[in-house]
Amino acid sequence: MPRLARTHGLTDIQESILATVHEFVDKEIIPRAQRLEHDDAYPTEIVDGMREMGLFGLTIPEEFGGLGESLLTYALVVEELSRGWMSVSGIVNTHFIVAYLVSQHGTAEQKARLLPRMATGEVRGAFSMSEPETGSDVSAIKTRAVPDGDGYVLNGQKMWLTNGGYASVVATLVKTELGAPSVYGNMTTFLLEKTPGFGETAPGLTIPGKIEKMGYKGVETTEMVLADHRVPASAILGGEPGKGFYQMMDGIEVGRVNVAARACGISLRAFELAVAYAQQRRTFGKPIAEHQAVAFKLAEMGTKIEAAHALMVNAARLKDSGQRNDVEAGMAKLLASEYCAEVVQEAFRIHGGYGYSKEYEIERLMREAPFLLIGEGTSEIQKTIISRGLLRDYRL
């Protein structure tokens, strides 16, 4: 077993799941990732394999057909998947967040209707907060839901939906004018159901097409346009308006653990590529791994991977225990994403000129790592969350 990023105290079931996923990554994902990524092709066969393993239902309770595993198990699976190809982990990430939101906040009817089909991957989830003019400032969203008879009419434009095309249900945060004293009490999460695909996938709900990206290819990222899209009141997550912001923030906390796990996975793959290349490439009569300049790079990369992995595991375990983990999740996401960018760049430098070639995997990682500095909140937003939490706990 590799030395880096080992997690102690796992159950036999967790160990078995991770061993199965590790083998799947080595045999099914890594050999295909380069071709699929360069073609920006959807990894249909890989997704089918993940469905067969039950990964779409990994954290969904057993009573609804899932495996009932913890956030920690899920994060470690994501780490493994990202070691193979980050886009594959993205396919299950937003699905997992939506399943988590339904499990934690949904009505009995929403759980019974959605979770069994989400567990099999028949129904896939997407998560929507951002808008064209709104990213980190969630209070500034403009999409609105207006009461209309026994339902609501939604109008607005949402942005950056991972799985926006293939998803059947989109957890969507909108403004609802409820007269609450705080803007955050005037937000509601709706579970918008649609047909997978592009174009008008439900009356008044349009997925225009894929957004072209520098990296993170294979998995689609889309907009969503709502034009007089009518939904019943039963589409409100949990059945009660005004709780959307707090529900979504709960989902974002697990999402930040997920991003930290993705960063750890990419860092691990970058290290694997660098340490292998450094032992094969020879200069001045010996492998470059024997040159102190390169050996020290490997030492620093390994140390950063260990530190990021430890923070990620701690944040996941805190959430699993029912404790607040906003600060710890922010720390994990901040450190893991920043270290990932650094580790990947060092691996790129070790490869020299070959790292700039599309024939080498490190070129892909160089385009993927920057996404993690942005997804689920920028590093600056994480620092804001962390500092507020620390000042709250250490206030004089």
Side-chain angles (χ1 to χ4, degrees), residues 18 21 25 55 58 71-86 88-90 92-93 96 254-255 257-266 312:
L18 292 174
V21 174
V25 168
L55 295 189
L58 188 62
L71 172 60
L72 175 61
T73 306
Y74 179 77
L76 296 175
V77 166
V78 164
E79 184 179 52
E80 285 288 353
L81 292 174
S82 298
R83 187 180 68 85
W85 183 18
M86 185 182 72
V88 172
S89 71
V92 293
N93 175 39
F96 161 70
V254 299
V257 173
N258 172 280
V259 171
R262 282 200 253 182
C264 290
I266 291 178
M312 180 270 290

Side-chain angles (χ1 to χ4, degrees), residues 85-323:
W85 183 18
M86 185 182 72
S87 295
V88 172
S89 71
I91 291 171
V92 293
N93 175 39
T94 54
H95 174 85
F96 161 70
I97 294 176
V98 176
Y100 173 84
L101 289 174
V102 174
S103 296
Q104 295 295 314
H105 305 285
T107 64
E109 185 275 334
Q110 289 168 345
K111 293 177 184 179
R113 182 167 53 83
L114 292 174
L115 290 180
R117 292 186 295 154
M118 294 186 79
T120 64
E122 174 192 350
V123 166
R124 304 249 294 281
F127 181 85
S128 178
M129 287 201 307
S130 295
E131 298 183 0
E133 298 180 15
T134 303
S136 300
D137 183 10
V138 180
S139 65
I141 63 173
K142 297 178 180 179
T143 302
R144 279 173 163 71
V146 177
D148 181 55
D150 59 352
Y152 290 81
V153 174
L154 280 65
N155 283 280
Q157 185 178 1
K158 307 300 282 188
M159 196 72 177
W160 307 120
L161 280 73
T162 301
N163 291 326
Y166 282 90
S168 299
V169 57
V170 184
T172 308
L173 186 67
V174 303
K175 285 277 184 70
T176 41
E177 303 301 334
L178 301 172
S182 166
V183 64
Y184 301 110
N186 289 296
M187 296 183 182
T188 300
T189 298
F190 284 84
L191 299 174
L192 304 183
E193 298 185 49
K194 67 179 188 67
T195 301
F198 297 93
E200 190 171 21
T201 56
L205 189 160
T206 300
I207 304 295
K210 294 197 303 182
I211 298 170
E212 295 296 326
K213 300 167 299 204
M214 177 177 79
Y216 199 30
K217 295 178 180 291
V219 56
E220 79 280 11
T221 303
T222 74
E223 300 175 65
M224 179 172 68
V225 179
L226 301 170
D228 292 332
H229 177 55
R230 195 178 193 285
V231 296
S234 59
I236 295 174
L237 177 63
E240 186 177 343
K243 295 185 175 182
F245 175 79
Y246 308 102
Q247 293 166 341
M248 287 296 219
M249 289 305 104
D250 187 23
I252 282 291
E253 283 185 11
V254 299
R256 285 179 179 138
V257 173
N258 172 280
V259 171
R262 282 200 253 182
C264 290
I266 291 178
S267 297
L268 274 169
R269 185 58 182 164
F271 179 84
E272 289 174 353
L273 295 171
V275 76
Y277 183 84
Q279 293 173 83
Q280 295 165 2
R281 173 69 167 163
R282 299 178 65 87
T283 62
F284 303 101
K286 60 183 178 181
I288 62 173
E290 295 181 16
H291 293 291
Q292 190 179 73
V294 173
F296 279 11
K297 286 182 185 294
L298 295 172
E300 291 173 0
M301 291 162 69
T303 301
K304 288 175 179 179
I305 291 169
E306 281 290 276
H309 178 83
L311 276 185
M312 180 270 290
V313 168
N314 180 60
R317 281 180 163 152
L318 274 176
K319 190 72 172 178
D320 281 332
S321 70
Q323 299 180 62

